[in-house]
Amino acid sequence: MTFVVASQPGRARGGPDDQRVLASASSAALHIAGGTLADGPAGRVGLEVEAHCFDLNDPNRRPGWSELNEVIASVGSLPGGSAVTIEPGGAVELSGPPAVGPIPAITGLITDRNVLQSVFADAGLGLVLLGADPLRRPYRVNPGPRYRAMEQFFVASRTAGAGAAMMTSTASIQINLDAGPRDGWADRVRLAHALGPTMIAIAANSPLLAGRFTGWQSTRQRVWGQLDSARCGPVLGANGDDPCTDWARYALKAPVMLVHSPDAVAVTEHVPFADWADGLVLLGDRRPTTADLDYHLTTLFPPVRPRRWLEIRYLDSISDALWPAVAFLLVTLLDDPALAELAAEAVEPVATAWDLAARVGLADTRLYTAATRCVAMVADRVPAELSESMQRLLQNVETGRCPADDFADQAIQRGIDGAVLAMLRGAG
């Protein structure tokens, strides 16, 4: 999940049109649909990896905001060009620049992650790749007004627990891909969604949250599923034939979370953006502008989010041994035309089984079958530098195990503290 907003409200598009007052929900829909996806060739890949930050000597301590910023300030420019940011709960996100193809994107992020880990280790801190914080209770360290307002929104919408856990206790691997040529958008977006449950089962890596087993292999996905489906559910419409219209409809139906007056202020009543745009409700004693609409889009967190490119957000954060293979797998299934149709057929029986995948992972026969078919399609296409990672992934999938099974075993054997410490020290 990426909460960082690169531009200030009213500057999302960088021109005088940013403050244009929207005349209606119809004009808002046109604004959204026009910027949903960018027509062009596919091929570029951007990767983001989030890691929970722990004290190497006391894994129950959550490093503070100032402490984390001091460490990041000492990192300097990374060789692969990645940016480093801090999530609301103190997780550290490494965001690589777009690269042509998965291999440059993966190898660049590996290089930068090694440098980042070394700098954090020198500061007595470690970065753990898990989909949810298994040890500490949700707690926000980022003092920004956006996140305070988000907390207030979640309290008002009766999702305070899930909202706090989502913001401060979950971590993912995000894959960003070109939208591709316009005439292929519908199939590409449908496949990105259809692959979701199978990929969640393959990468599930969060069996614990805040010191307790949850009964879910991907507690991260469970947490997101507990939030409002109008904000965090899949975007696809009835048939998925028009992704731009689907996104516009989704965004206008979603309730407004924050309004700038000028700082972020939580909207504590259920107000779909369409109602604000049509003037049925005034927020901040005014009608919305295009800048308000652009900002509203940053508060929507579906598993596949269109931002002119496709932001794929449904993977748990997983170990350095596995995430390169998982990233290569998903990118190849979407970007290789020879495999896309085969992949769609393989995952069709479980294309909407989001909760089942999060709960049981590969223990479900249909998910297991889809996963083994998908990995088999790609395994012999992997380059030498990723062969070890792919072999490990292939072995996991063939034996019906996801990363959550390995971490659960460690937590039972060593205790949760001991399992986290072992990951921090590279001992298991």
Side-chain angles (χ1 to χ4, degrees), residues 380-400:
D380 61 354
R381 296 171 180 249
V382 72
E385 56 264 47
L386 295 187
S387 60
E388 184 176 347
S389 182
M390 183 57 75
Q391 283 303 311
R392 181 162 178 173
L393 178 64
L394 182 62
Q395 181 180 8
N396 275 13
V397 171
E398 287 180 342
T399 57

Side-chain angles (χ1 to χ4, degrees), residues 20-31:
R20 178 173 60 87
V21 175
L22 292 164
S24 65
S26 296
S27 60
L30 290 173
H31 181 82

Side-chain angles (χ1 to χ4, degrees), residues 5-385:
V5 179
S7 55
Q8 295 298 316
R11 293 292 183 269
R13 295 184 182 274
D17 188 54
D18 293 342
Q19 292 296 349
R20 178 173 60 87
V21 175
L22 292 164
S24 65
S26 296
S27 60
L30 290 173
H31 181 82
I32 297 166
T36 298
L37 298 172
D39 186 19
R44 291 181 303 166
V45 178
L47 300 176
E48 303 176 17
V49 174
E50 295 170 349
H52 301 286
C53 186
F54 290 90
D55 187 313
L56 292 173
N57 296 311
D58 180 8
N60 287 283
R61 184 180 79 86
R62 187 184 294 270
W65 180 247
S66 297
E67 180 182 3
L68 291 167
N69 276 285
E70 287 177 8
V71 177
I72 288 175
S74 71
V75 173
S77 298
L78 291 168
S82 298
V84 185
T85 53
I86 307 169
E87 294 297 316
V92 177
E93 181 182 281
L94 195 60
S95 305
V100 179
I103 299 305
I106 291 168
T107 56
L109 203 63
I110 290 173
T111 299
D112 288 351
R113 182 164 152 74
N114 289 337
V115 173
L116 192 68
Q117 284 181 294
S118 178
V119 173
F120 269 72
D122 289 343
L125 303 175
L127 301 174
V128 168
L129 299 175
L130 285 167
D133 188 330
L135 196 55
R136 302 166 301 192
R137 295 180 62 83
Y139 181 78
R140 176 175 58 86
V141 301
N142 187 320
R146 173 177 167 97
Y147 309 116
R148 290 199 303 271
M150 287 177 70
E151 285 180 342
Q152 293 165 5
F153 173 86
F154 289 129
V155 169
S157 61
R158 300 181 180 180
T159 56
M166 178 273 283
M167 284 201 299
T168 69
S169 297
T170 63
S172 69
I173 294 173
Q174 184 172 296
I175 298 178
N176 304 309
L177 300 176
D178 286 319
R182 182 184 299 272
D183 61 4
W185 285 353
D187 287 340
R188 187 164 174 77
V189 172
R190 273 195 294 259
L191 180 57
H193 282 83
L195 284 166
T198 298
M199 294 302 305
I200 287 170
I202 288 173
N205 192 33
S206 45
L208 295 101
L209 176 66
R212 299 180 61 185
F213 280 95
T214 65
W216 292 65
Q217 296 286 60
S218 176
T219 301
R220 183 200 58 81
Q221 180 64 24
R222 181 199 183 196
V223 165
W224 285 87
Q226 290 174 322
L227 296 170
D228 185 359
S229 62
R231 166 166 273 104
C232 299
V235 172
L236 281 186
N239 54 32
D241 287 341
D242 186 351
C244 297
T245 298
D246 286 344
W247 179 230
R249 184 181 295 113
Y250 182 100
L252 291 174
K253 181 181 178 181
V256 181
M257 175 183 274
L258 310 174
V259 173
H260 282 272
S261 300
D263 287 334
V265 176
V267 178
T268 56
E269 297 180 359
H270 184 92
V271 179
F273 194 94
D275 287 0
W276 191 19
D278 279 333
L280 300 178
V281 178
L282 296 182
L283 298 176
D285 295 323
R286 60 180 176 82
R287 297 281 289 270
T289 65
T290 50
D292 290 314
L293 178 52
D294 291 335
Y295 191 75
H296 172 65
L297 298 180
T298 73
T299 69
L300 308 180
F301 311 114
V304 180
R305 181 165 67 175
R307 298 186 61 189
R308 298 187 65 77
W309 63 92
L310 294 181
E311 212 178 58
I312 298 173
R313 307 164 51 84
Y314 45 62
L315 296 173
D316 277 14
S317 190
I318 53 176
S319 72
D320 288 309
L322 285 173
W323 76 253
V326 169
F328 184 86
L329 171 66
L330 184 53
V331 172
T332 303
L333 292 175
L334 280 163
D335 278 3
D336 189 321
L339 295 184
E341 187 173 343
L342 295 173
E345 180 186 351
V347 301
E348 192 277 333
V350 290
T352 60
W354 298 90
D355 284 350
L356 178 64
R359 184 165 50 85
V360 305
L362 295 174
D364 177 78
T365 301
R366 295 181 305 157
L367 285 162
Y368 171 80
T369 299
T372 53
R373 289 182 64 185
C374 286
V375 174
M377 291 179 202
V378 175
D380 61 354
R381 296 171 180 249
V382 72
E385 56 264 47

Side-chain angles (χ1 to χ4, degrees), residues 409-420:
D409 288 349
Q410 290 292 311
I412 292 169
Q413 178 183 345
R414 306 182 189 208
I416 304 172
D417 296 46
V420 171

